Amino acid sequence: YLLTTPYLTLRKYHTDTKSRLDLGCQFAHAQGLQVIGIDARDEGLDLARSSGADVVIDARKGKDRVIEEVKKVTDQKGVDSALTLSDALGAAALACAITKPPEVSVPFHELIFRDIRIHGSLISPRLKTESVRMLDFVAEHDITVKTNPFFGLKEIPHLVEKRIQLAHSGKIAGKGVVIVDEDEIKNVKERIGVTR
């Protein structure tokens, strides 16, 4: 379900993307967009590079330096739009700071008394339709995701423990996947002609 959101957002708004996720980079590139990948972790920066981000910027340099580097590669204009896929403190503010115009602010009364909407979604409201569209798009453009496989349901506690350790260390990259039946995965891959 999480994979639908970057796809839907990029398809709907045709946005340039500030994203640490490989899928955001790949979806944007497949739509002909230029991508600036910003992250504060080596693993996230490497993932952005390997996923084809045109420019990769280390957020640990600080907000002012990131803004300076974004302006340098966008002719001092900033990005047309930003897709923030991080809950890190300051990530949304940084996304606003690099987006044209340079400062985005929405006073509380504007949200209440005017028809201004800020939309965030974890799950697409049109999940079935958009998921099918996204999967077709993924197949058409050979979009991939880095995975960290765990084999069997008995591995779920290890997956949770490892994800927590990696999250606290800042070294998390890719999605944890529990493979319940390896033989069934091989059979499905053979049926649909997947070679990897």
Side-chain angles (χ1 to χ4, degrees), residues 29-43:
H29 264 285
Q31 294 180 55
L33 303 173
Q34 292 183 327
V35 177
I36 298 174
I38 302 173
D39 206 303
R41 305 167 304 117
D42 292 333
E43 292 76 11

Side-chain angles (χ1 to χ4, degrees), residues 100-134:
K100 298 183 242 182
E103 186 173 325
V104 177
S105 175
V106 182
F108 181 75
H109 67 275
E110 297 291 346
L111 293 173
I112 301 299
F113 298 114
R114 296 185 58 220
D115 190 21
I116 294 177
R117 297 180 189 144
I118 299 173
H119 180 76
S121 175
L122 182 60
I123 300 176
S124 171
R126 296 177 303 281
L127 185 59
K128 184 176 181 184
T129 305
E130 291 303 330
S131 293
V132 169
R133 224 181 247 153
M134 179 194 67

Side-chain angles (χ1 to χ4, degrees), residues 1-186:
Y1 298 114
L2 291 172
L3 306 183
T4 305
T5 303
Y7 166 76
L8 178 60
T9 302
L10 290 167
R11 190 177 70 74
K12 183 174 179 182
Y13 299 108
H14 302 288
T15 60
D16 287 340
T17 179
K18 173 221 160 281
S19 169
R20 71 178 175 90
L21 293 181
D22 53 342
L23 290 173
C25 291
Q26 292 177 76
F27 285 145
H29 264 285
Q31 294 180 55
L33 303 173
Q34 292 183 327
V35 177
I36 298 174
I38 302 173
D39 206 303
R41 305 167 304 117
D42 292 333
E43 292 76 11
L45 296 167
D46 290 343
L47 200 54
R49 276 186 203 94
S50 68
S51 300
D54 298 290
V55 176
V56 176
I57 301 172
D58 190 338
R60 294 172 291 197
K61 295 176 180 179
K63 181 179 173 183
D64 292 339
R65 182 75 185 276
V66 171
I67 293 168
E68 179 184 313
E69 290 188 31
V70 168
K71 284 186 175 186
K72 188 163 80 172
V73 299
T74 60
D75 296 323
Q76 301 302 311
K77 297 176 184 173
V79 297
D80 293 310
S81 59
L83 174 60
T84 305
L85 299 172
S86 171
D87 61 355
L89 188 61
L94 178 60
C96 291
I98 64 170
T99 305
K100 298 183 242 182
E103 186 173 325
V104 177
S105 175
V106 182
F108 181 75
H109 67 275
E110 297 291 346
L111 293 173
I112 301 299
F113 298 114
R114 296 185 58 220
D115 190 21
I116 294 177
R117 297 180 189 144
I118 299 173
H119 180 76
S121 175
L122 182 60
I123 300 176
S124 171
R126 296 177 303 281
L127 185 59
K128 184 176 181 184
T129 305
E130 291 303 330
S131 293
V132 169
R133 224 181 247 153
M134 179 194 67
L135 291 173
D136 290 341
F137 189 85
V138 165
E140 179 183 344
H141 296 282
D142 196 32
I143 291 172
T144 60
V145 63
K146 178 176 173 39
T147 60
N148 300 301
F150 292 80
F151 298 92
L153 294 176
K154 67 184 180 309
E155 292 294 312
I156 290 177
H158 301 291
L159 167 66
V160 172
E161 182 180 323
K162 183 174 180 181
R163 297 292 289 181
I164 289 170
Q165 289 172 350
L166 289 172
H168 288 297
S169 71
K171 299 196 179 300
I172 196 166
K175 301 290 177 193
V177 177
V178 177
I179 298 174
V180 178
D181 187 341
E182 286 183 77
D183 293 332
E184 182 61 21
I185 289 175
K186 289 176 190 172

